[in-house]
Amino acid sequence: MAMSGGKQSPAPPSSSFISLRGSLLTLAIFSLISFTCFSFKSIHFQNPTPTPQVSAKIVEERVVEEEHKDVLSDVYHSPEVFRLNYAAMEKNFKVYIYPDGDPKTFYQTPRKLTGKYASEGYFFQNIRESQFRTEDPDQADLFFIPISCHKMRGKGTTYENMTIIVRNYVEGLISKYPYWNRTLGADHFFVTCHDVGVRATEGLPLLVKNSIRVVCSPSYDVGFIPHKDVALPQILQPFALPAGGNDVENRTVLGFWAGHRNSKIRVILAQVWENDTELYVLNNRINRATGNLVYQKRFYITKYCICPGGSQVNSARITDSIHYGCIPVILSNYYDLPFNDILDWRKFSVVLKESDVYQLKQILKDIPDEEFLALHKNLIQIQKHFQWNSPPIKYDAFHMVMYDLWLRHHVIKY
């Protein structure tokens, strides 16, 4: 066959070659898309490198949380419930302080922050320094009646006049403001450490029966109602010497007590054990002429410090013992111990009936060494709860009292 002249045209590519090139192109595009998607996915899900500040904060919060879990592991009835409720209290709890009353007389401000009734003064001051105070009564969970029977006593007011002053003040608040009548006073509270405060308020039954009483003498046999009222720890501040603790090797004396014989149990204690060689029991206070701070130094060398009730069920000796690292031996009937619904007192103290006084030495000697060490270790953990500060700090006595009030607020609410 004759062929035309000139250069021949190249043969068209075969269909198999086209198919292969298309497949490779498709694969390349798919790979590119997949890589791009994977890269974006990685960028989206990987945590960016945190700034040092954020990282440090996270670490600090975790450390604090772990520390709290350790601290709240043994001496609390419900450690996790306490931790969560405490956080909620700090965030939400609000108290309104009635503004009425002249601070130069019996109202608003504390008499002083020293002595065995210092707890009342510290509370009056701390509530104003804290985040719990609100100026808006409509935001308040509880209402504080800021009348101080301790200030009345300091001004020489008689019991009869105290009763009249308290009654007139509270009745004036009831008639002036609408808040008491909403709950008949169930969301109101007052604070008194001296026993004169208990006596002065008894002249107004609706105050005693309806409101929350925060008192240092919480005795079941004189009208104290545990689920309604709050036991205020009697703390004699400032302490004369630093806190004790982690010093069990120095504690060679089995038991110690010295004080006035102003109650039946103290008289019996002195009569039975005054001449004992293992229990150091005196029938009176230690004479200061014997040396400087001899009484306080005794706490440092004693395992168990005996705390019998005095004119009231309470005693500042309990918190002295806690501060100086000496296991308190509670020897008082009908005593609702401070923070009893939060702390398990049997984990850091010895709680006895008054009738146990006759077997006291044997009871203490029968406590195994390992149990004493556990009690002492737990005691050191809870020292912070029995210390007042100004301004208040987390977990101190003020915050523990506020937590007790927070619990009672929820009882009222629900």
Side-chain angles (χ1 to χ4, degrees), residues 332-360:
S332 185
N333 295 340
Y334 311 114
Y335 187 11
D336 189 66
L337 292 160
F339 318 137
N340 194 35
D341 44 4
I342 308 166
L343 301 174
D344 185 349
W345 276 77
R346 296 186 183 276
K347 294 290 180 64
F348 58 89
S349 69
V350 179
V351 182
L352 303 176
K353 303 184 296 292
E354 290 182 2
S355 59
D356 291 326
V357 65
Y358 300 100
Q359 297 81 38
L360 180 59

Side-chain angles (χ1 to χ4, degrees), residues 88-204:
M89 174 199 72
E90 285 191 307
K91 182 179 179 181
N92 301 314
F93 196 28
K94 294 299 177 185
V95 172
Y96 178 75
I97 305 173
Y98 282 108
D100 302 64
D102 183 359
K104 294 180 180 179
T105 55
F106 317 120
Y107 314 96
Q108 303 298 338
T109 57
R111 177 185 172 192
K112 58 181 181 178
L113 300 180
T114 58
K116 59 183 178 179
Y117 305 116
S119 292
E120 179 179 317
Y122 268 104
F123 186 91
F124 270 70
Q125 179 155 314
N126 284 172
I127 190 69
R128 287 172 166 77
E129 300 171 320
S130 73
Q131 78 273 23
F132 301 114
R133 183 182 185 183
T134 178
E135 300 286 351
D136 183 358
D138 292 328
Q139 292 183 350
D141 301 298
L142 292 181
F143 295 80
F144 177 39
I145 302 173
I147 187 167
S148 173
C149 294
H150 190 206
K151 289 180 73 174
M152 293 184 203
R153 179 177 178 271
K155 294 181 181 293
T157 311
T158 65
Y159 287 121
E160 291 75 15
N161 285 338
M162 285 185 187
T163 300
I164 295 171
I165 292 169
V166 170
R167 183 173 63 244
N168 290 342
Y169 181 68
V170 175
E171 288 179 348
L173 297 179
I174 294 173
S175 62
K176 182 177 180 180
Y177 300 96
Y179 312 116
W180 175 282
N181 291 325
R182 295 188 306 193
T183 62
L184 295 180
D187 57 358
H188 285 56
F189 71 95
F190 67 93
V191 176
T192 181
C193 191
H194 200 288
D195 57 328
V196 300
V198 176
R199 293 180 59 180
T201 55
E202 287 174 347
L204 190 60

